[in-house]
């Protein structure tokens, strides 16, 4: 499970990086807390970070269940695709929010595959 | 722990469903990203999804600690109540946000029970 | 791992407390769902709760990986610092959002230390 732990830490580290960038944009554009709007670039970076959190809430437990009941090396590989997809999502969203779908799909697909495949594997293990 | 893994996947799958519905409402009512407001139905679905995420952040670790230190079948049963409560919360919130409290309680109670009972069980295990 | 489970439950319980306080402020200041703004005190408490959730998403998995690959007693100790830091963050943010940085740092540092130290430990374990 070491590979799965490494991928988990990298995905969480990526989210920490995005969170720091939300803070930087806050400073850069003078958006004072608790305001969460006021400048387009800040709002984009905030939505990128929020969407990444929504994905992580599903991704992390799914990754570990999949690693446990299917295969830990496949889990680590699909997890890497997730991380790459998030970087694509971030850079395309910052340029133009309307073009965020490809990056979104690259992150969402590995999670969806692990969720469905994981469910089937656990069900077969149980019955 | 298979039952707990199944319930975890179902609860995460429910959240994915809610997230997809937020996206659909965005399209239906023409609310363009990064905006998070602009139409009542979109705002309701967004709050349902956000509140579900807040609940999941507590629910998932609590479920597994409870399963480990108390009982995994009880954990799975209480987890099912959580999922049912979230569907009740979703449909009542969409009709009228003021009537969201019953669905909220059905989801919150299983988590609160597992949190308190889990803490007592771990403390007794330790001392 | 009992100490780590106890710290996890306490951190999740703290977040539940913050969430309840968001609900109370909603009632106190007449901010009706699905609105997420309308009164400064409500907005501050909401941001405190949201930021705590963002921290928890990273903190919980990091705590357990660190406990597994480095040391579970150190994990529990650093976890306690996280919880204390969140209380400091909450009270200073409520007084003045501009003075939230110390409380933020007290929570963020334990997570950052466990993330980096955990990664090094897992990598050394693997290679």
């Amino acid at each position: 499970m070491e590979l799965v732990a490494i991928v988990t830490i990298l995905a969480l580290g990526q989210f920490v990086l995005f969170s720091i960038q939300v803070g930087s944009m806050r400073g850069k554009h003078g958006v004072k807390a608790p305001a969460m709007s006021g400048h387009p670039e800040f709002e984009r970076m905030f939505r990128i970070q929020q969407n990444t959190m929504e994905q992580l809430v599903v991704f992390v437990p799914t990754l570990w269940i999949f690693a446990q009941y299917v295969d830990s090396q496949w889990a680590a590989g699909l997890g890497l695709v997730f991380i790459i997809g998030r970087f694509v999502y971030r850079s395309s969203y910052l340029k133009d929010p309307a073009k965020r779908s490809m990056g979104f799909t690259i992150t969402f697909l590995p999670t969806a595959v692990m969720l469905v495949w994981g469910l089937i594997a656990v069900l077969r293990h149980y019955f």
Side-chain angles (χ1 to χ4, degrees), chain A:
Chain A
M1 300 301 251
E2 276 83 10
L3 282 176
V4 180
I6 293 166
V7 166
T8 303
I9 292 176
L10 293 179
L12 297 175
Q14 182 186 41
F15 174 66
V16 169
L17 182 73
F18 289 177
S19 302
I20 291 168
Q21 291 178 322
V22 174
S24 306
M25 299 254 172
R26 197 183 266 293
K28 186 182 167 191
H29 299 300
V31 183
K32 286 208 175 68
M36 296 318 292
S37 58
H39 190 282
E41 201 189 20
F42 168 75
E43 288 167 31
R44 288 176 189 187
M45 195 61 227
F46 178 54
R47 284 305 309 154
I48 291 162
Q49 182 234 17
Q50 291 292 304
N51 188 274
T52 301
M53 176 165 60
E54 292 169 16
Q55 300 288 319
L56 278 175
V57 165
V58 180
F59 172 72
V60 174
T62 302
L63 182 78
W64 286 84
I65 291 173
F66 184 88
Q68 181 70 32
Y69 290 97
V70 183
D71 186 89
S72 67
Q73 290 200 304
W74 268 98
L78 288 163
L80 276 182
V81 176
F82 174 93
I83 295 169
I84 294 164
R86 278 291 106 181
F87 278 124
V88 174
Y89 179 78
R90 181 194 164 283
S91 60
S92 57
Y93 199 127
L94 278 179
K95 277 178 209 143
D96 181 2
K99 284 175 183 154
R100 69 192 187 281
S101 63
M102 195 181 80
F104 182 85
T105 308
I106 303 174
T107 8
F108 181 66
L109 263 184
T111 306
V113 165
M114 289 193 286
L115 204 64
V116 175
W117 191 353
L119 179 61
I120 294 167
V122 182
L123 286 170
R124 288 179 66 176
H125 212 269
Y126 185 67
F127 294 108

